[in-house]
Amino acid sequence: RHGAHENRVMSCDVAHLPTSLQCKSRSTVLAWYYAKERSCRGPALLEHDKMQFGVPSEMLAIATKVDSPAHRVYWGFDSFRGLPPEANDEPYKNSLWKPGAYSDVYMLAPNFHTFFKPKQGILRYVNRTANAHPLSVEAATQLRTKKMQGERNRIHLVAGFYNESLTPELAATVRPVAFADFNCDLTVSTLQAQRWLFTHRLLRPGSLISYDDWFHTPFGFGESAAHIEVSHEFKVEYEHLGKHLRQGPGATCKLVFFRIKSVGQLADPAITPRLNHSRYWN
């Protein structure tokens, strides 16, 4: 069910990200990488798509800054209603990660204020008026698309929890994926996204992936747990591109980048010492 074996990526121009990219954004890292890398571009050599799981996560910056290689479609997947009900079932209980957290129908609604203190584990939506109402999912999706100049930047947003929105029919319309970012927080959401991608052979040797929340849980929970499980389930061999970069507090200092070396041959999640961490941050 995992498809045919994929050829292994060999002799890449970029072995690892340099320390000059310490704590840099996704768009900065990708622009640098594609300017330097020629041998291991994988799907980026072809007509390809990019993907974001958890919107917006720099989609606008990537779409406008990383213009070479250009994507056909930049897909963004989000419920726009916040985290799913399964957030209650996660083994690691991050105090911010509750069902409905990070909901665009509230965060984009003009009559609500988002009260957010991450170090105290506080995230709630406060109505500004007595008759305040959240946006509909359709309205939130349209507003996000407008903010990111979706038509101009070939950005297409798909609303819904991943177990509902990531269908075989949708996969049939997607080109091979050159870059996918996972800002999913939860193990279950990351698993759903990655199983869909590998089942339909959308991620291939040479594809890049990044994680936003690897360091928001202890190692072996959250996104790191999903990464390891999927690597073994689909025999994905990775390279940790940022193995020489210091990881720490601060949003961009916690980004983790991998390149896929092979699929269907060898399971290697490429857990380097910097990734096997005991400290974690909200």
Side-chain angles (χ1 to χ4, degrees), residues 15-269:
H16 303 290
L17 301 178
T19 55
S20 60
L21 293 176
Q22 184 80 51
C23 298
K24 300 298 184 182
S25 65
R26 298 170 183 83
S27 57
T28 298
V29 170
L30 289 177
W32 180 93
Y33 179 84
Y34 285 123
K36 303 293 183 181
E37 181 57 65
R38 291 290 181 268
S39 301
C40 296
R41 285 192 170 200
L45 292 169
L46 311 169
E47 184 181 45
H48 67 274
D49 291 349
K50 294 186 177 75
M51 289 195 171
Q52 177 62 54
F53 295 89
V55 173
S57 305
E58 288 189 64
M59 289 187 74
L60 178 58
I62 291 171
T64 55
K65 187 173 183 177
V66 188
D67 56 354
S68 178
H71 56 269
R72 182 191 67 109
V73 178
Y74 196 167
W75 300 86
F77 300 93
D78 202 291
S79 74
F80 298 98
R81 291 180 284 159
L83 296 181
E86 292 89 342
N88 284 330
D89 302 326
E90 288 283 298
Y92 173 71
K93 306 298 183 185
N94 185 311
S95 57
L96 291 172
W97 294 352
K98 298 179 175 66
Y102 307 109
S103 171
D104 264 3
V105 298
Y106 286 97
M107 296 174 73
L108 295 178
N111 291 327
F112 280 89
H113 167 69
T114 301
F115 186 71
F116 186 44
K117 289 191 174 182
K119 291 184 178 180
Q120 286 75 44
I122 299 172
L123 172 59
R124 62 176 182 264
Y125 312 115
V126 182
N127 55 310
R128 301 179 188 270
T129 62
N131 61 345
H133 296 285
L135 299 177
S136 67
V137 170
E138 181 181 7
T141 306
Q142 291 175 348
L143 186 53
R144 274 292 180 205
T145 301
K146 181 178 180 181
K147 286 176 176 288
M148 295 189 291
Q149 303 170 16
E151 184 175 355
R152 175 182 177 183
N153 293 314
R154 302 185 303 284
I155 289 173
H156 181 72
L157 301 184
V158 178
F161 293 122
Y162 298 160
N163 64 325
E164 301 167 347
S165 63
L166 300 178
T167 64
E169 293 76 17
L170 178 62
T173 70
V174 176
R175 297 294 186 269
V177 176
F179 170 71
D181 178 75
F182 301 90
N183 188 355
C184 301
D185 302 334
L186 308 179
T187 302
V188 64
S189 301
T190 311
L191 283 173
Q192 290 168 349
Q194 293 198 353
R195 282 173 173 155
W196 179 74
L197 288 164
F198 283 112
T199 294
H200 298 286
R201 300 182 64 236
L202 299 175
L203 285 176
R204 302 182 178 187
S207 296
L208 299 185
I209 70 169
S210 60
Y211 293 101
D212 184 82
D213 301 297
W214 187 286
F215 288 95
H216 285 162
T217 68
F219 177 71
F221 294 89
E223 291 179 344
S224 63
H227 174 84
I228 294 168
E229 184 170 339
V230 169
S231 173
H232 287 281
E233 183 177 348
F234 291 88
K235 294 185 178 179
V236 185
E237 182 185 11
Y238 286 101
E239 296 175 286
H240 177 207
L241 288 177
K243 65 183 296 183
H244 301 309
L245 304 185
R246 176 183 60 82
Q247 312 280 174
T252 56
C253 296
K254 290 179 285 190
L255 295 173
V256 175
F257 292 90
F258 290 95
R259 177 170 53 207
I260 295 175
K261 293 178 68 176
S262 68
V263 181
Q265 300 178 25
L266 173 67
D268 181 4

